[in-house]
Amino acid sequence: MDSFSFCTSKISIIIIFLLSFHQSESQFIQSTHLLDLMIRDYTIRNFKLNLNTGITQKIYLPSNFSGIDIETVKLRCGSLRRYGATIGGFHISSGVTVEPCSERVMLVRQNLGSNWSSIYSTGYNLTGYNYQLVSPVLGLLAYNANPDGVATNPYEVNVVGTDQNPILIDFLSNKSSGNPNLDPKSTKTNSSVLCACFTSNGNKTTFSEQVSPYVCKGTRQGHYALVTTLEPRKEDNGGGGGGGGMVTSSTEVSGGGGGKLSRWKVAIGSVIGSGIAAILLGMLVVAMLVKVKKKAMREEMERRAYEEEALQVSMVGHVRAPTASGTRTLPIIADDRYKNTHLNHYP
């Protein structure tokens, strides 16, 4: 187990060394667990061993982790149980349990800021819960430590409290604030703002009410943030980009052009368009039928006019009948000799 932890630590250090040559972009790291390991290794490498137990130390990360604020402190496990501790907005009550811990524990407080908090928004699918971040993500992690320094094979230690002895997270403290939407002068809890707890052992998120304005309560180490209900986007032609997907207002601003039509508008438009097309098609069919009928009537009239011109029509009683003009020639005997000869044949 020790050799495995040692190898994991070495691999993390190598990854950090490679990433130090890149620019500061949150897209390089998409795993929240990997980010915790890198922060842990940087903290261990830069921890000042000559500081006394209980003295808070600030850890400066490389430029590719720009926006992350780290503080650490080394404490005795017994002192942490009896007296609790305060570090960068986290107030650990007395009576918590620390396990497994033989003698000392190293607490690491993270403030991911606006550049890196979006990793938790996407990794834990906050939009699937219909929520958005309104504060930076604050993290509190604990690791084992040797009496003479930090352990060479660090592993995470569980700091567990209860409802009576909780861990309070103050988002308005000088160390953890940084969001203009959090009003330090507010004296009542905003009901639309909830506390979100991101478990470190899985992609599970729990939501709870604030215990006081912008103060959340937890029962163990982990990552916490303030969230509010996700609201529809509004168009803004002036669109400016926020940092790392961090939402800094109750209305998310879109920097693009026009939005998509809703489904019901598309349906109504389709019905109206189909109706107009059907009316135009019906009018076309009627016009064609009228044209054909007029053509047939015109041909019938022409036929009747021709027949009436060829044969004169006259009334015979109450009936119209065609009549012809008297143009037939009556028979005439050619001469008297033929007449006499013809008459002699008959007695």
Side-chain angles (χ1 to χ4, degrees), residues 121 127 131-133 228-236 240 242 245-255:
S121 179
T127 55
Y131 287 113
Q132 61 185 1
L133 293 173
T228 188
T229 304
L230 184 64
E231 295 184 2
R233 295 192 174 198
K234 291 184 178 180
E235 297 179 10
D236 185 3
M246 185 73 176
V247 178
T248 57
S249 63
S250 59
T251 303
E252 187 174 358
V253 177
S254 173

Side-chain angles (χ1 to χ4, degrees), residues 69-72 87-88 90 107-111 139-140 175:
D69 182 68
I70 302 296
E71 286 185 337
T72 184
I87 176 173
F90 284 89
L107 300 179
V108 179
R109 193 272 305 167
Q110 305 175 359
N111 183 349
L140 177 67
K175 298 292 183 179

Side-chain angles (χ1 to χ4, degrees), residues 124-342:
Y124 286 79
N125 192 22
L126 276 183
T127 55
Y129 294 100
N130 198 33
Y131 287 113
Q132 61 185 1
L133 293 173
V134 292
S135 76
V137 174
L138 303 183
L140 177 67
L141 298 178
Y143 303 97
N144 63 311
N146 294 332
D148 55 347
V150 180
T152 56
N153 56 339
Y155 54 86
E156 189 172 348
V157 175
N158 294 320
V159 179
V160 182
T162 61
D163 290 335
Q164 293 73 26
N165 303 305
I167 300 174
L168 298 178
I169 305 95
D170 185 5
F171 288 89
L172 291 180
S173 64
N174 294 331
K175 298 292 183 179
S176 61
S177 63
N179 193 312
N181 292 326
L182 304 183
D183 185 9
K185 298 180 180 179
S186 177
T187 57
K188 65 178 182 178
T189 302
N190 188 346
S191 59
S192 64
V193 178
L194 297 176
C195 300
C197 175
F198 308 100
T199 58
S200 58
N201 57 351
N203 293 336
K204 181 180 179 182
T205 309
T206 58
F207 303 93
S208 60
E209 299 287 341
Q210 304 172 73
V211 295
S212 61
Y214 308 115
V215 176
C216 297
K217 180 176 71 174
T219 56
R220 60 178 301 131
Q221 84 278 5
H223 294 82
Y224 297 85
L226 294 176
V227 298
T228 188
T229 304
L230 184 64
E231 295 184 2
R233 295 192 174 198
K234 291 184 178 180
E235 297 179 10
D236 185 3
N237 293 330
M246 185 73 176
V247 178
T248 57
S249 63
S250 59
T251 303
E252 187 174 358
V253 177
S254 173
K260 295 182 179 179
L261 294 175
S262 57
R263 292 184 177 180
W264 67 270
K265 289 183 179 181
V266 174
I268 293 177
S270 301
V271 172
I272 295 175
S274 301
I276 294 175
I279 292 173
L280 294 176
L281 181 61
M283 293 175 64
L284 180 61
V285 172
V286 170
M288 292 178 64
L289 292 177
V290 171
K291 184 177 181 181
V292 170
K293 186 174 181 181
K294 286 184 177 180
K295 183 178 180 181
M297 292 176 63
R298 185 172 63 253
E299 291 177 351
E300 179 67 17
M301 292 175 64
E302 291 176 354
R303 185 183 63 81
R304 289 183 178 181
Y306 176 78
E307 290 179 352
E308 290 180 357
E309 182 180 358
L311 297 175
Q312 295 181 358
V313 179
S314 60
M315 295 296 297
V316 179
H318 296 285
V319 180
R320 296 178 67 199
T323 58
S325 57
T327 59
R328 183 177 179 182
T329 304
L330 296 176
I332 300 175
I333 297 176
D335 52 27
D336 293 339
R337 187 177 52 182
Y338 173 81
K339 180 178 179 183
N340 295 330
T341 304
H342 179 71

Side-chain angles (χ1 to χ4, degrees), residues 33-47:
H33 180 63
L34 179 59
L35 179 61
D36 289 339
L37 291 178
M38 292 183 173
I39 293 175
R40 180 200 67 181
D41 291 343
Y42 266 115
T43 302
I44 293 174
R45 290 169 56 192
N46 294 277
F47 190 85

Side-chain angles (χ1 to χ4, degrees), residues 20-72:
S20 63
F21 293 98
H22 295 279
Q23 296 179 349
S24 172
E25 294 291 342
S26 61
Q27 61 184 4
F28 290 132
I29 301 176
Q30 299 297 333
S31 170
T32 58
H33 180 63
L34 179 59
L35 179 61
D36 289 339
L37 291 178
M38 292 183 173
I39 293 175
R40 180 200 67 181
D41 291 343
Y42 266 115
T43 302
I44 293 174
R45 290 169 56 192
N46 294 277
F47 190 85
K48 296 179 180 179
L49 300 178
N50 57 350
L51 288 180
N52 295 330
T53 300
I55 302 300
T56 302
Q57 177 183 345
K58 186 175 180 61
I59 302 297
Y60 296 93
L61 300 179
S63 60
N64 57 306
F65 290 98
S66 175
I68 299 179
D69 182 68
I70 302 296
E71 286 185 337
T72 184

